[in-house]
Amino acid sequence: MIRTQTIILTDDTIELMHNDMLSSRPYLLRLTGWNNFYDLRLSSEDLKNLAESIVFFIKDNENI
């Protein structure tokens, strides 16, 4: 089964999908803009590291 979460931004969308039939890198992160898109295949550890890095980046920039 494929589960999907969609985040709609002002001019872009982020889709996060999980395919439980894949044993390696079951997550797909799709970034879509008005003229391009990127697909990233990730493991759960990769996705956690990405989320933590984004939070760290935001918190670090708030201290500047």
Side-chain angles (χ1 to χ4, degrees):
M1 181 171 125
I2 298 175
R3 293 182 329 184
T4 303
Q5 175 72 41
T6 303
I7 302 166
I8 299 173
L9 305 172
T10 303
D11 293 324
D12 307 299
T13 60
I14 300 170
E15 291 178 272
L16 181 58
M17 294 167 245
H18 179 263
N19 185 343
D20 59 4
M21 297 182 75
L22 298 175
S23 60
S24 175
R25 299 187 303 161
Y27 292 93
L28 178 67
L29 180 66
R30 177 171 286 154
L31 307 170
T32 306
W34 64 274
N35 68 343
N36 53 28
F37 72 92
Y38 300 97
D39 283 348
L40 301 169
R41 208 27 99 183
L42 304 164
S43 67
S44 61
E45 192 63 31
D46 292 335
L47 190 57
K48 287 175 190 175
N49 289 336
L50 176 61
E52 290 171 0
S53 296
I54 291 170
V55 170
F56 178 79
F57 182 77
I58 292 168
K59 287 182 179 180
D60 192 45
N61 282 321
E62 289 175 348
N63 295 327
I64 295 178

